[in-house]
Amino acid sequence: MEISLSSDNEQFLKSQISAGIYKTISEAVNAAINIIIAETAVSQKRIDKFNKEIEIGIEAEIGRAH
């Protein structure tokens, strides 16, 4: 797979490698993708929780209407 990075992103990744945080650009990119995956999962869990709270509220309102 081949990817293109903006010059700013490439410089950032190279600085991370120089600092010893990552060994290669591939390792740094994989770490970034793992962060995105984790954040997406957390966001989906928050959305699911919010939707459940809405559902509970709607059911409570329906119960009061009867």
Side-chain angles (χ1 to χ4, degrees), residues 13 16-17 22-34:
L13 292 176
Q16 297 291 291
I17 292 164
Y22 301 104
K23 294 178 184 175
T24 65
I25 288 181
S26 291
E27 184 181 333
V29 170
N30 280 314
I33 292 169
N34 287 335

Side-chain angles (χ1 to χ4, degrees), residues 5 7 10 21-22 25 30 36 41 47 60 63 65-66:
L5 301 171
S7 59
E10 186 174 355
I21 297 170
Y22 301 104
I25 288 181
N30 280 314
I36 293 168
I47 291 168
H66 288 110

Side-chain angles (χ1 to χ4, degrees), residues 3-60:
I3 62 169
S4 297
L5 301 171
S6 70
S7 59
D8 289 341
N9 288 344
E10 186 174 355
Q11 287 302 327
F12 174 76
L13 292 176
K14 286 180 178 180
S15 72
Q16 297 291 291
I17 292 164
S18 294
I21 297 170
Y22 301 104
K23 294 178 184 175
T24 65
I25 288 181
S26 291
E27 184 181 333
V29 170
N30 280 314
I33 292 169
N34 287 335
I35 290 168
I36 293 168
I37 290 168
E39 287 179 356
T40 301
V42 168
S43 295
Q44 187 60 51
K45 286 179 183 177
R46 288 181 180 161
I47 291 168
D48 293 345
K49 181 180 178 190
F50 182 68
N51 286 337
K52 184 65 176 172
E53 289 172 0
I54 291 172
E55 184 180 317
I56 290 168
I58 290 171
E59 288 173 1

